[in-house]
C-alpha cells in the first residue's frame, strides 16, 4: 500500500508524470531503432507510433511552462544573496532564462504544428532545441563548479555528519551532470549543432538511450 | 506575484493541468462549431485541430490513472466508519469502481488508437464512456443525498460557525452537481446512451459548452 501511495503521489505531480512519459518516449525511440535493425518493420512501426504520440502529448502538456521559469528567476533575483556564491547564482538565473526561451519556442512550435498559428514548426523547433542546448551547457557549468567546490570542502571537513551532507550534495552533482550530458545528446541532435560542429549525427539508439537515462534520473528526482 | 504562484501551483499538479487542458479542449470544440456555423471553415479547422490535439494529449497523460482510484477505494474500505454515513460511503466506493473501469478502457482505447494493442479503439472508447456515464450517475446520486442531508441539517443548526460550515458544504454540493451534469452531457454523447434512450444527440455546441463549464469547476476545485 505504501508503494502504491508513493507511485500515485508521484504521478499526481506534472513533473513526475512528464518524466515517466519521457522514459517511455525515448525507450520506444530506442526500440524503434532496434526493431528496424532486425527488419521487424511492424513492431518498429508500433513503437514509432508510441514515440510520436508521447512526444506530441508532452509538448501539449508543457504549454505555459515558461511561467515556472519566470517565477524561479524572480525568486532568485529577490533572494538574500549573503551566503550564496554569486557566480553559481548568476549561472542558475541564466540557465533558467535559456530554459524559459526553450519552453516558449517549444510551445509556439507545437501550436504552429497543429495550425493554431501560421509559422514553420520545424524552424521553431530547431530554435527551441538551440536554446535548450545553451541552457544545458549553462547547467553543466554550474554543476561542475558546484561539484569542484564540494570536493574541496570534503577534503577540509572533519565531522562525520558534515561529510555525509557533502557526499549527498556530490551525488546530486554527479546525477545532474549525467542527466544533462544525456539531455545534451537530444538537444544537440535536435538543434543540429552536433552535425554543424562535430559533423556527427547520433543515431536513434543513442538518442533513445540518452533520453531514457535522462528521463529515469529526472523521474527519480521528481518522486 | 501571488497570482503567478497560484497559477503555477495549479499547473504543477497533474489534475490542475489536466482540467485547464479540458477547458481548452472543449472551448476549442465550441469555437469549431461556432466558426462552422459562420462558414469560416479555416478557423473552424484550426480550432478542431486544437480540440483533437488536446484530446489525444489528455488521453496519453491519464495512462495509469486507474491506480488513483484503486488507492481511494482501499482507503474507503479501511476507513473508520463510526461517523460516516454507510450509504454515502458505499456510493463513493461504487462511483470510484466505475471511474477505475472508465480510465482502464480509456487507456486501452488510446493504446489501440496508436496501434500498440490490436483492438477497435472506437468500441473501447464507447465502453469507456459508458462506464464514465454510470460513474457520473452514481456521483450525482451520492451528491444529491449529501445535499438533502445538509439542507435538513441547516434547518436544525443554531451556532453561526456550524451554519457557515454547512453552507460551505452545500455550495460544494451544488458545484459538484453542475459539474457532473455537464460531464454527463459528454459521457452520454460519447457512449451514445442519449441517442439510444432519449433519441437525441447533443450537438458540438452543447458538448463544448458543457465540457468547458465542467473544466472550469474542476480547475477551481483543483487549485
Amino acid at each position: 500500500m505504501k508503494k502504491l501511495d508513493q507511485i500515485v503521489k508521484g504521478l499526481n505531480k506534472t513533473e513526475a508524470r512528464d518524466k515517466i512519459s519521457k522514459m517511455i518516449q525515448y525507450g520506444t525511440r530506442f526500440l524503434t531503432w532496434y526493431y528496424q535493425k532486425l527488419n521487424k518493420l511492424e513492431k518498429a512501426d508500433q513503437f514509432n507510433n508510441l514515440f510520436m504520440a508521447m512526444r506530441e502529448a508532452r509538448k501539449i502538456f508543457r504549454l505555459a511552462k515558461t511561467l515556472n521559469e519566470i517565477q524561479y528567476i524572480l525568486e532568485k533575483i529577490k533572494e538574500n544573496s549573503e551566503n550564496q556564491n554569486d557566480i553559481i547564482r548568476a549561472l542558475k538565473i541564466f540557465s533558467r532564462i535559456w530554459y524559459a526561451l526553450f519552453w516558449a519556442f517549444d510551445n509556439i512550435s507545437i501550436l504552429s504544428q497543429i495550425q493554431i498559428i501560421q509559422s514553420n514548426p520545424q524552424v521553431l523547433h530547431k530554435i527551441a532545441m538551440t536554446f535548450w542546448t545553451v541552457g544545458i551547457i549553462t547547467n553543466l557549468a554550474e554543476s561542475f563548479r558546484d561539484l569542484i567546490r564540494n570536493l574541496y570542502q570534503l577534503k577540509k571537513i572533519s565531522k562525520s555528519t558534515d561529510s555525509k551532507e557533502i557526499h549527498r550534495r556530490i551525488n546530486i552533482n554527479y546525477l545532474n551532470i549525467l542527466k544533462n550530458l544525456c539531455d545534451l545528446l537530444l538537444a544537440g541532435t535536435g538543434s543540429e549543432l552536433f552535425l554543424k560542429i562535430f559533423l556527427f549525427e547520433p543515431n536513434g539508439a543513442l538518442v533513445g538511450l540518452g533520453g531514457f537515462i535522462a528521463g529515469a534520473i529526472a523521474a527519480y528526482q521528481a518522486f | 506575484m501571488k497570482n503567478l504562484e497560484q497559477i503555477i501551483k495549479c499547473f504543477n499538479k497533474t489534475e490542475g493541468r489536466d482540467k485547464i487542458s479540458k477547458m481548452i479542449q472543449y472551448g476549442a470544440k465550441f469555437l469549431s462549431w461556432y466558426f462552422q456555423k459562420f462558414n469560416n471553415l479555416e478557423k473552424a479547422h484550426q480550432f478542431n485541430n486544437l480540440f483533437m490535439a488536446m484530446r489525444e494529449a489528455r488521453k496519453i497523460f491519464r495512462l495509469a490513472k486507474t491506480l488513483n482510484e484503486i488507492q481511494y477505494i482501499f482507503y474507503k474500505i479501511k476507513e473508520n466508519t463510526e461517523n460516516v454515513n454507510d450509504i454515502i460511503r458505499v456510493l463513493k466506493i461504487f462511483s470510484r469502481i466505475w471511474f477505475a473501469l472508465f480510465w482502464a478502457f480509456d487507456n486501452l482505447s488510446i493504446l489501440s488508437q496508436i496501434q500498440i494493442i490490436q483492438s477497435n479503439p472506437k468500441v473501447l472508447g464507447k465502453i469507456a464512456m459508458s462506464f464514465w456515464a454510470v460513474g457520473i450517475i452514481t456521483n450525482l446520486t451520492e451528491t444529491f443525498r449529501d445535499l438533502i442531508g445538509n439542507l435538513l441539517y441547516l434547518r436544525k443548526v443554531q451556532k453561526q460557525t456550524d451554519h457557515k460550515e454547512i453552507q460551505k458544504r452545500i455550495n460544494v454540493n451544488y458545484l459538484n452537481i453542475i459539474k457532473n451534469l455537464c460531464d454527463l452531457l459528454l459521457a452520454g454523447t460519447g457512449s451514445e446512451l442519449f441517442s439510444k434512450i432519449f433519441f437525441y444527440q447533443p450537438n458540438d455546441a452543447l458538448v463544448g459548452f458543457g465540457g468547458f463549464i465542467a473544466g472550469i469547476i474542476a480547475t477551481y476545485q483543483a487549485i
Side-chain angles (χ1 to χ4, degrees):
Chain A
M1 192 66 191
K2 206 178 173 187
K3 272 257 172 266
L4 178 64
D5 286 345
Q6 255 184 319
I7 293 169
V8 170
K9 191 178 172 192
L11 289 175
N12 286 345
K13 290 186 234 171
T14 307
E15 191 66 12
R17 198 173 262 267
D18 177 64
K19 296 312 173 202
I20 289 188
S21 304
K22 182 175 181 173
M23 281 170 66
I24 297 171
Q25 178 185 339
Y26 287 101
T28 51
R29 175 95 190 241
F30 179 86
L31 289 168
T32 302
W33 168 86
Y34 175 76
Y35 282 111
Q36 265 173 352
K37 277 280 168 191
L38 293 179
N39 236 348
K40 287 191 176 171
L41 297 177
E42 197 192 320
K43 270 245 173 321
D45 199 45
Q46 273 181 317
F47 283 113
N48 193 47
N49 286 341
L50 182 54
F51 162 72
M52 290 196 296
M54 278 294 172
R55 183 180 61 181
E56 304 323 320
R58 286 184 68 224
K59 282 188 176 201
I60 293 275
F61 257 65
R62 54 193 189 216
L63 286 170
K65 206 165 170 184
T66 303
L67 293 178
N68 286 59
E69 308 301 344
I70 292 172
Q71 183 199 35
Y72 183 89
I73 292 163
L74 288 172
E75 272 172 15
K76 271 277 167 225
I77 290 169
K78 285 187 195 170
E79 204 177 53
N80 177 355
S81 54
E82 265 179 37
N83 300 323
Q84 278 245 343
N85 181 306
D86 278 337
I87 295 177
I88 286 189
R89 188 162 156 266
L91 283 171
K92 279 193 201 288
I93 291 172
F94 268 107
S95 150
R96 297 340 292 179
I97 290 173
W98 303 129
Y99 268 83
L101 288 163
F102 162 47
W103 301 128
F105 277 93
D106 181 69
N107 290 173
I108 302 170
S109 148
I110 190 68
L111 291 176
S112 70
Q113 193 173 313
I114 58 178
Q115 294 160 18
I116 294 299
I117 59 178
Q118 305 302 334
S119 204
N120 187 333
Q122 263 109 341
V123 169
L124 291 164
H125 174 73
K126 224 163 116 177
I127 296 171
M129 289 283 144
T130 308
F131 279 121
W132 189 22
T133 308
V134 180
I136 291 167
I137 293 168
T138 317
N139 268 348
L140 280 166
E142 185 247 312
S143 295
F144 273 118
R145 209 179 186 293
D146 200 37
L147 173 67
I148 292 165
R149 196 170 61 111
N150 288 328
L151 288 169
Y152 269 126
Q153 252 190 327
L154 191 67
K155 280 192 181 179
K156 292 184 198 169
I157 48 113
S158 43
K159 272 194 200 166
S160 170
T161 40
D162 289 342
S163 166
K164 247 187 169 176
E165 173 58 27
I166 294 173
H167 268 294
R168 194 185 69 88
R169 294 205 306 246
I170 288 170
N171 289 339
I172 290 173
N173 290 144
Y174 283 138
L175 271 181
N176 283 337
I177 287 168
L178 182 59
K179 180 180 74 177
N180 280 301
L181 285 172
C182 289
D183 273 337
L184 193 57
L185 208 53
L186 317 179
T189 309
S191 59
E192 294 179 10
L193 283 174
F194 278 175
L195 192 62
K196 287 176 186 162
I197 298 172
F198 305 112
L199 303 170
F200 164 70
E201 176 117 62
N203 64 12
L206 271 174
V207 169
L209 192 67
F212 183 80
I213 293 172
I217 295 171
Y220 165 74
Q221 292 174 327
F223 269 80
Chain B
M1 189 69 185
K2 204 178 174 187
N3 269 339
L4 177 65
E5 277 170 16
Q6 259 185 318
I7 293 168
I8 289 167
K9 195 177 167 193
C10 180
F11 269 131
N12 286 347
K13 288 188 234 172
T14 306
E15 194 66 12
R17 198 170 263 268
D18 178 64
K19 296 313 174 202
I20 290 177
S21 304
K22 182 174 181 173
M23 280 169 62
I24 298 171
Q25 177 185 339
Y26 287 101
K29 180 132 192 183
F30 179 84
L31 288 169
S32 175
W33 168 87
Y34 176 80
F35 283 113
Q36 256 175 357
K37 276 279 166 189
F38 280 87
N39 244 344
N40 191 339
L41 296 177
E42 197 193 321
K43 273 247 176 311
H45 183 65
Q46 275 180 318
F47 282 110
N48 194 48
N49 284 344
L50 181 58
F51 162 72
M52 289 194 299
M54 279 294 173
R55 184 180 61 181
E56 303 325 320
R58 285 184 67 223
K59 281 186 177 205
I60 294 272
F61 259 67
R62 54 193 189 216
L63 287 170
K65 204 166 171 184
T66 303
L67 293 177
N68 287 57
E69 307 301 344
I70 292 171
Q71 182 201 39
Y72 183 88
I73 291 164
F74 276 136
Y75 273 124
K76 272 286 166 207
I77 290 169
K78 284 188 195 170
E79 203 181 27
N80 178 353
T81 53
E82 267 180 39
N83 300 322
V84 181
N85 182 305
D86 278 336
I87 294 177
I88 288 188
R89 187 166 156 265
V90 164
L91 283 171
K92 279 192 201 289
I93 290 172
F94 267 106
S95 149
R96 299 339 293 178
I97 290 172
W98 303 129
F99 270 82
L101 289 164
F102 162 46
W103 301 128
F105 278 93
D106 180 70
N107 290 174
L108 288 171
S109 148
I110 189 67
L111 290 175
S112 70
Q113 194 174 311
I114 58 179
Q115 293 160 20
I116 295 300
I117 60 176
Q118 304 303 333
S119 203
N120 187 332
K122 286 195 175 94
V123 169
L124 291 167
K126 223 163 115 177
I127 296 171
M129 289 283 149
S130 304
F131 279 122
W132 189 23
V134 178
I136 292 167
I137 292 167
T138 317
N139 266 351
L140 279 166
T141 312
E142 182 249 311
T143 309
F144 272 118
R145 211 182 183 290
D146 197 37
L147 172 66
I148 291 165
N150 288 331
L151 287 168
L152 287 172
Y153 197 48
L154 191 69
R155 282 189 184 178
K156 295 183 199 171
V157 95
Q158 307 278 341
K159 275 191 196 166
Q160 178 74 345
T161 41
D162 288 345
H163 196 271
K164 249 188 168 176
E165 172 59 32
I166 293 167
Q167 197 58 57
K168 194 171 85 103
R169 292 203 310 240
I170 288 170
N171 291 341
V172 169
N173 289 147
Y174 284 139
L175 271 181
N176 283 336
I177 286 168
I178 295 172
K179 182 180 75 175
N180 280 299
L181 286 172
C182 289
D183 274 338
L184 193 56
L185 207 53
L186 317 178
T189 308
S191 59
E192 295 180 12
L193 284 174
F194 280 174
S195 199
K196 286 177 185 161
I197 298 172
F198 306 112
F199 303 108
Y200 168 71
Q201 181 94 308
N203 65 12
D204 284 351
L206 269 173
V207 169
F209 187 66
F212 184 74
I213 302 285
I216 291 180
I217 296 172
T219 304
Y220 167 73
Q221 292 175 327
I223 291 174

